[in-house]
Amino acid sequence: MDIETFRDNLARHGAGPYAWPEPEREAGRALFGNSPEAREAAAEMEALSALFDEIKTAPPAPAPDALLARVMADAADVQAARDAPAAPPRAEPSRMGWLAFLRPLFIGAAPAALGLWLGYAVLGGDVAEAMGAAELAQNDGDIVVLDDTDQDELLAFAWPAAQEIWE
Amino acid sequence: MSFDGTGDESDEALLERFAAGDRLAARALTMRHTPRVLALATRMLRDGSEAEDVAQEAMMRLWRIAPDWRAGEAKLSTWLHRIAANLCIDRLRKRRDGGAKPEEAEAQADTSPTAAAMLIAGERAKAVSAAISALPERQRIAITLRHFEDYSNPDIAEALGLSVEAVESLLARARRTLASGFRDERRGAGS
């Protein structure tokens, strides 16, 4: 094994030969025993590992006050947002929102539809329904209802002839 | 011993108190963890301003996850440092995507070469920190994650999107460079 291969193994596997791959281990031991340069290289790698540990465990420099203040302000914001009462649920937007421009038309049409319905139901509708089952005949100016249903119900719809009214 | 009674309290207990609305717990966690997270980000990014942004963002994620933290599943400091390391790696990728070559980023950062070293007490450690800071970007990240953040080689490979063999190669090159610089320094001191 030459010194460069030895250094490469040191860098890959560390200074302890037990961590080296088996095929490299014996050759590495042999070079370590025979070469001051190899021993120096191993000592350097050991020292480097110790420095890594020193850096890792050294207390870090204090963080800038401005950064600490920002971090604590973030914490306060998160706490405040969490403590805030839940906002009332927002109404879901209508899926027919694109028809909003037709709303005035609907507003105008509603009374008209109501009027039509009333006209049909109160005046024309019930009369026609009541009379629909009947057969109307006119006899000397009287409207006579000819039906086999109850005559009391139908009496209201037996209108007098115009001549009787004037008399 | 701290006067707010939080000095000996575990991270998990403090986080639980923070989630319950205790602001002193937030202060204790900030003082305890922000400096180390900042040191990690500074070492990885070599840009003080960006490192502060990363430290703030990592701590913000801690505040947000507090109510859902599951004690015993992960060590808080490990979780926090992983978040910070990932944020740094994202920023380094964006630098590259933005057209900055790693060498250019390093040349800019070299205007303040002692930034990382200033974080560490001890002259030899300072010298090695400065040497780490001068490494090419990927070597620097690999060394930082392996030796200061306890990442395994496969973890580093996953974080950097490299093969494990590539990570081993990065680490070996970095260690050789550092060892060589250490040797030169000792010779210089001895002469």
Side-chain angles (χ1 to χ4, degrees), chain A residues 4 7-8 11-12 40 44-45 47-48 51-52 54-61 63-64 67-68 70-72 74-76 78-79 82, chain B residues 18-19 21-23 26-27 30 35-36 38 43 52 56 59-60 63 67 119 124-125 128-129 147-148 150 172 175-176 178 182-183 187:
Chain A
E4 283 309 307
R7 288 187 192 280
D8 190 56
R12 285 183 182 276
E40 186 185 13
E44 286 165 4
M45 199 55 71
L48 184 63
L51 280 174
F52 285 149
E54 188 180 330
I55 293 169
K56 185 180 174 184
T57 55
L67 173 62
L68 296 174
R70 290 205 303 274
V71 170
M72 283 189 273
D74 285 345
V78 170
Q79 277 179 331
R82 204 176 292 142
Chain B
F18 166 76
D22 186 340
R23 293 198 175 188
R27 178 181 171 78
T30 300
R36 281 203 183 280
L38 178 64
R43 196 175 283 127
E52 286 193 18
Q56 186 178 358
M59 293 301 291
M60 176 59 110
W63 306 140
L119 300 171
R124 285 191 314 162
V128 173
S129 285
H147 289 287
F148 306 134
D150 295 327
R175 288 178 191 134
R176 284 195 67 163
L178 294 171
F182 188 50
R183 181 169 60 239
R187 282 176 182 162

Side-chain angles (χ1 to χ4, degrees), chain B:
Chain B
M1 181 70 190
S2 67
F3 292 104
D4 57 15
T6 56
D8 301 327
E9 211 165 345
S10 72
D11 287 338
E12 283 71 20
L14 286 171
L15 195 62
E16 194 176 335
R17 280 176 48 194
F18 166 76
D22 186 340
R23 293 198 175 188
L24 279 180
R27 178 181 171 78
L29 286 168
T30 300
M31 304 306 281
R32 189 180 289 182
H33 290 287
T34 305
R36 281 203 183 280
V37 173
L38 178 64
L40 163 64
T42 303
R43 196 175 283 127
M44 288 182 77
L45 295 171
R46 300 198 321 173
D47 180 304
S49 174
E50 275 200 283
E52 286 193 18
D53 288 346
V54 164
Q56 186 178 358
E57 174 63 23
M59 293 301 291
M60 176 59 110
R61 294 194 184 188
L62 179 65
W63 306 140
R64 286 186 179 140
I65 204 173
D68 303 317
W69 184 265
R70 294 181 187 177
E73 278 196 8
K75 196 176 168 192
L76 189 147
S77 59
T78 303
W79 179 88
L80 193 55
H81 283 223
R82 294 250 165 173
I83 292 289
N86 287 337
L87 288 169
C88 289
I89 289 167
D90 285 347
R91 282 177 179 255
L92 291 169
R93 282 201 185 111
K94 281 178 187 164
R95 275 188 199 169
R96 282 201 292 271
D97 293 345
K101 293 178 184 173
E103 291 78 9
E104 289 171 352
E106 281 158 14
Q108 288 166 6
D110 278 345
T111 57
S112 58
T114 58
M118 292 297 286
L119 300 171
I120 309 298
E123 288 304 313
R124 285 191 314 162
K126 277 185 186 176
V128 173
S129 285
I132 292 170
S133 181
L135 288 171
E137 184 180 290
R138 285 189 188 180
Q139 291 182 32
R140 186 178 75 245
I141 300 305
I143 282 286
T144 299
L145 296 178
R146 183 73 181 86
H147 289 287
F148 306 134
E149 301 300 325
D150 295 327
Y151 276 54
S152 66
N153 289 359
D155 287 345
I156 298 170
E158 186 182 348
L160 296 181
L162 299 171
S163 66
V164 175
E165 290 75 20
V167 168
E168 286 176 356
S169 178
L170 283 174
L171 287 169
R173 290 207 303 275
R175 288 178 191 134
R176 284 195 67 163
T177 303
L178 294 171
S180 168
F182 188 50
R183 181 169 60 239
D184 293 344
E185 187 195 347
R186 287 204 309 180
R187 282 176 182 162
S191 62

Side-chain angles (χ1 to χ4, degrees), chain A residues 11 26 38-39 47 74 98 103 106 117 130 137 145 147 152 166:
Chain A
E26 279 309 308
R39 287 194 291 276
D74 285 345
W98 59 277
R103 192 171 297 158
F106 288 126
W117 179 80
V145 176
D147 195 4
D152 289 338
W166 288 108

